[in-house]
Amino acid sequence: MQTVFSTVLPDVPAAAVIWLALLALAAVVVAALVVRPTRFRSVFGERISEAARPSSIDLAEQSRERARERSRYADEVAVAASRAAVTAERSRADWSAAQDEAEAAWLAYQAAEEDVRRLAAAAALPLPRTARTPAEYADRERWLHRAALDAQWRKEITVQQLSDILGGRGWNPSRHPVEQELLLRRLVRDNLRARQHAASEREQAAWRAAETAAAAARSLREEVFAALHPVAEPQAALSIVGFAGPENTRELPNAEITRELAPVARGRAAVAAY
């Protein structure tokens, strides 16, 4: 035992000095944290931020990957834009044909209206007197049937209207041919007016379809341009929260991202623009 104590006791003062030095160092650190906590936290936050920040190689690889993604997306949208352009061209051709049809229907209606005015003026004059015989009535009936057949052949009256005329439903074959022609031309005028209204509605619908197709094609082209030329704008970088709360948050400098702008169609597109 004397040998053991003689070996250990000389080292006790040195160990005590070491422990006292460590305790003093710990006390100094604790006091520094209490007096100026933000200084040490900012240092720790900067080191953590440096560790979390991607390297230049990672940033370059991410940039190349984003460029490849934008290129693929632009190619897909370009295909859709070309198809939309073909659809817009077809819609414009349909609208042009509908416009020509509406114009032709309007001219036919105007001609029929002029015929009605001319016959109405002629019917206002005294009608020539003819013998009221069965042969005369038969001639008037044949004239009415022939005029109705000619009108139906020209598609000026419907098959149902022709059937009514031939069957005498609502028509009096014994009337004077001038009066019968006036009634027949009025029927033709009413039919052409209805066709003109229908053709005008089809023309308006075709114009709206062509306008929509042109706007879609233009929007897709703008989207292709936006995909190939993204607008870079600054964005707040990753935030590192300190030990005590949000007052220790620091923003990483020079952090930027790219954002693909969605195309927005403004105004009313002309049909010719696609």
Side-chain angles (χ1 to χ4, degrees):
M1 291 297 294
Q2 290 180 355
T3 303
V4 173
F5 283 121
S6 62
T7 304
V8 175
L9 288 178
D11 296 333
V12 171
V17 171
I18 294 173
W19 279 105
L20 289 175
L22 293 175
L23 291 175
L25 179 61
V28 170
V29 172
V30 171
L33 289 175
V34 172
V35 174
R36 301 186 63 182
T38 56
R39 180 177 181 181
F40 293 94
R41 291 169 185 167
S42 62
V43 173
F44 294 149
E46 289 178 358
R47 292 181 179 178
I48 296 174
S49 299
E50 288 292 338
R53 189 178 300 134
S55 64
S56 59
I57 299 177
D58 294 337
L59 291 176
E61 182 61 28
Q62 292 175 5
S63 179
R64 287 192 295 269
E65 183 63 25
R66 287 195 296 268
R68 288 192 293 268
E69 289 293 334
R70 287 196 300 268
S71 179
R72 286 194 294 268
Y73 178 72
D75 292 340
E76 294 175 359
V77 178
V79 173
S82 63
R83 293 176 181 175
V86 174
T87 302
E89 182 66 25
R90 188 183 303 113
S91 299
R92 177 176 170 79
D94 294 341
W95 170 64
S96 180
Q99 193 177 28
D100 294 340
E101 182 183 356
E103 183 67 19
W106 172 256
L107 294 177
Y109 166 70
Q110 290 292 339
E113 182 67 24
E114 185 63 26
D115 289 343
V116 170
R117 292 196 190 98
R118 177 179 55 82
L119 291 174
L125 300 176
L127 298 177
R129 293 183 177 274
T130 56
R132 298 178 178 273
T133 61
E136 175 65 20
Y137 290 147
D139 289 341
R140 292 181 179 183
E141 184 177 8
R142 282 194 298 270
W143 183 93
L144 176 61
H145 291 176
R146 184 171 60 252
L149 288 171
D150 292 341
Q152 203 281 326
W153 182 79
R154 292 190 299 268
K155 300 184 183 302
E156 294 176 344
I157 62 175
T158 64
V159 176
Q160 182 61 41
Q161 290 171 343
L162 175 62
S163 177
D164 293 339
I165 293 174
L166 297 179
R169 292 185 292 273
W171 291 79
N172 185 7
S174 63
R175 302 183 68 171
H176 196 276
V178 175
E179 297 176 342
Q180 292 176 349
E181 185 177 6
L182 177 59
L183 294 175
L184 184 60
R185 297 316 301 174
R186 283 176 177 171
L187 177 62
V188 171
R189 179 201 59 187
D190 294 341
N191 290 340
L192 292 178
R193 179 166 53 188
R195 293 179 186 177
Q196 189 271 329
H197 287 321
S200 179
E201 292 178 356
R202 288 193 297 271
E203 188 268 340
Q204 290 294 327
W207 180 83
R208 288 191 294 269
E211 184 184 45
T212 302
R218 185 175 59 257
S219 178
L220 287 173
R221 288 200 309 272
E222 293 176 355
E223 190 169 354
V224 172
F225 180 83
L228 295 177
H229 304 83
V231 178
E233 64 178 15
Q235 185 193 33
L238 297 175
S239 298
I240 305 300
V241 180
F243 299 103
E247 68 275 5
N248 301 306
T249 301
R250 296 176 58 85
E251 293 182 355
L252 297 179
N254 302 326
E256 294 183 353
I257 62 168
T258 57
R259 177 172 62 89
E260 297 181 359
L261 297 178
V264 179
R266 298 180 177 86
R268 187 171 185 177
V271 173
Y274 55 87

